[in-house]
Amino acid sequence: MKDVSKLILEDGAVQDRRIYWDQDIYEQELEQIFARAWQFLAHEGQIPNAGDFLTTRMGEDNVIVARQPDGTIKAFINSCPHRGNVVCHADTGNAKAFTCAYHGWAFGLDGALATVPLEHDAYYDAIERPRYAMHPVAKVESYKGLVFGTFDARAPSLRDYLGDMAWYMDTFLDVPGGIELLGPPMKSILNCNWKVPVENFIADGYHVGWAHAAALKAIESPLSPLAGNQAYDVNTGLQVATRGGHGFGVIWDAAAAIHPEGGAFRDWLAKRTPIIRERLGEWRSRFYNGHWDASIFPNCSFLYGTNTWKLWLPMGPHNIEVWTWTLVEKDMPAELKQMMVATNMMTFGTAGMLETDDGENMEQCTGSNRGWVTRRGKLYSGMGQVREGRHPELPGIIGKGIVCETSNRGFYRRWAELMSGRSWEEVAREPRSAPNREVA
Amino acid sequence: MNAPTQIKTPANPRYVDRDTLFEVERFLIREARMLDEERFREWWQTQLTEDIHYVLPVREIRMRANKQPIGSNPGAFVFNDNYGMLDMRIRRLETGLVWMEDPQNYIRRFISNIDAAWADVDGEVDAWSNFIVYRNRRQRDETVVWGTKQCRLRKVDGQWKLAGRTILVDQRVVLDKNLYFFL
Ligand code: FES
Ligand SMILES: [Fe+2]
């Protein structure tokens, strides 16, 4: 295994550029991160009935996620244990069995081998069927409707893995009725390293005024004064890095801000806020009305308030697929949901007014590292490091203001921990406390 | 909110006469050139009706036996725009602050297989065509998008205008980094 100890320095603030380019580091990510960490698979509402399934990826492994007759969800690798053929080519559907197109082996909804053509005449009934189940995803668990899976049987529980991020995400997961992810997901490509968009969503409030100047002007939103960094107030929000590499930034009172027609959404928030305050307290009712840019380690991101939900699926060190759904509350009226889908696609779909500003930057941030000399250099995300610290009421490490890189550093600290190959127990034994400084 | 994810010839198409087909062809071909030349404001002002519906649905891959959407799947769109939203997209381009359009991209639209039939509304025409769009950026960043579209044309004051367009891109995973261009 490659020694990665020098790739992330200064408590997460300095990244070695090779982590965005080198094939061997990428291979190690597949092994140490994507074969171990919990990854987003689906929302339960996408496969509500027995036999409903969808296909996705964990790292570069193709995975089928299927609802079982008993209502539970199982996942297994979408590759036939006979000669390796891909078994299911649909995005989604309902099935009683998955039948391989090569020689006709058929598998149950749980991935078990069910029938083998010519089992008697050609295998002489000697085939040990249990040996040839489809390779299972070791653990599949849900958190308030969000289904995740890990290939590592020794991984901590999903709830422990999400840690304090779950406390924050309850803000929108724990609403009456819960949430839904509306699709089908848009899928497109970017020629960038998977970590670059994760960074962008977890921490990059800095680029909003500049990269999105054109969109902010055209949309005429409450955030338009940010265009070209004309105005910035450090009290507009904060950033959070939670243990486990997850994090987000929030802009207060901006939940509906980039929606071209946000009126109905604002009415909805006003109506629901007292319920959220009652259930989850004052702070989370405040988060409920904020706009979040967020990432769940390793490769799932979302914008609560613009209602976009993203997966950045690695396809090599310099290439990803971007999958985009719309995040809504299940109880929202149908018309509001439709508006959410329309505005999410209009802003953060593949022809989105803001998404298209980002894609080019993500590609160029990756592609520049092709240069051998460039690649030997370092990148810096130390913004706000001298001011971040504890908060009397909020968990995690808190950075003041939305323009800050606190959550980026949290992401890279976890990246470095897992890449070193340390066990979950070892990683957990090194609890990180916030710098001993209060940030309100 | 389900937009059609297929474009099909109607059961008994009333194909238009030769003169009308010629006008439809000229409309589509000139429109493509107008867009290639980045005359977006002119396009918006002169080629579109104010009730236009401009749609590019996301297509999902399903087995032939599984036609029905499963679960939280009401339908999603790359474009689901009205006249005002198209205006907003063009205003973004007009700010001069779209860094990725500067330097200018090369984009070229090819349009073929044009056919047209009278629509179910008097004086309106449905026109079908296939397209290839080639885009080149920076030094050697190039992408090609293929697809088909169905256009609803209406004659307003003696001039054809676009009243509706459904675009289908023949890629499940869009192999361009974005589709922020008009098709
Ligand atoms: S590869 Fe699947 S049945 Fe042979
Ligand atoms: Fe952005």
Side-chain angles (χ1 to χ4, degrees), chain A residues 200 207 212 358:
Chain A
N200 179 271
H207 82 292
H212 299 305
D358 291 323

Side-chain angles (χ1 to χ4, degrees), chain A residues 80 82-85 100 102-105:
Chain A
C80 181
H82 175 226
R83 305 304 318 144
N85 190 24
C100 180
Y102 198 0
H103 312 93
W105 283 23

Side-chain angles (χ1 to χ4, degrees), chain A residues 52-170:
Chain A
D52 288 352
F53 70 86
L54 56 81
T55 54
T56 181
R57 276 199 293 277
M58 296 170 63
E60 292 203 44
D61 293 293
N62 293 320
V63 166
I64 300 174
V65 183
R67 177 78 73 172
Q68 306 298 304
D70 68 359
T72 60
I73 293 172
K74 286 195 161 72
F76 35 88
I77 291 183
N78 187 3
S79 174
C80 181
H82 175 226
R83 305 304 318 144
N85 190 24
V86 170
V87 174
C88 179
H89 292 278
D91 289 332
T92 185
N94 184 279
K96 291 198 173 58
F98 299 101
T99 306
C100 180
Y102 198 0
H103 312 93
W105 283 23
F107 304 86
L109 286 171
D110 57 355
L113 179 58
T115 55
V116 176
L118 304 181
E119 187 171 7
H120 175 69
D121 296 330
Y123 280 104
Y124 311 103
D125 294 318
I127 190 159
E128 297 173 53
R129 285 209 216 169
R131 273 179 63 187
Y132 306 107
M134 293 176 97
H135 184 108
V137 174
K139 298 210 252 183
V140 177
E141 290 173 19
S142 297
Y143 185 73
K144 297 186 178 166
L146 296 173
V147 185
F148 289 73
T150 171
F151 286 120
D152 183 358
R154 288 157 308 178
S157 73
L158 175 61
R159 181 62 187 80
D160 284 351
Y161 176 85
L162 292 173
D164 289 333
M165 191 64 179
W167 185 87
Y168 286 105
M169 285 170 64
D170 282 350

Side-chain angles (χ1 to χ4, degrees), chain A residues 200-201 204 207-208 211-212 303 348 354-355 357-358 361-362:
Chain A
N200 179 271
F201 273 64
D204 206 318
H207 82 292
V208 176
H212 299 305
L303 301 176
F348 282 96
L354 288 93
E355 180 92 342
D357 297 323
D358 291 323
N361 292 326
M362 291 172 188

Side-chain angles (χ1 to χ4, degrees), chain A residues 45 52 89 91-94 181 183-189 210 214 218 338 345 350-351 353 356-357 360 363, chain B residues 1 58 60-61 66 70-77 85 89 91-92 95 99-100 138 172 174 177-180:
Chain A
D52 288 352
H89 292 278
D91 289 332
T92 185
N94 184 279
L181 292 187
M186 189 176 281
K187 298 184 182 181
S188 55
I189 60 146
W210 190 257
Q338 278 185 32
M345 297 303 168
T350 189
M353 306 261 294
T356 49
D357 297 323
E360 181 86 353
E363 291 197 349
Chain B
M1 77 182 274
V58 173
E60 194 164 48
I61 297 181
N66 269 170
I70 307 290
S72 309
N73 194 342
F77 307 89
M85 289 161 94
R89 289 185 190 274
R91 273 192 280 123
R92 172 176 172 273
T95 60
W99 315 127
M100 61 172 263
R138 308 291 200 228
R172 173 59 182 107
V174 171
K177 78 186 80 177
N178 69 59
L179 292 178
Y180 200 99

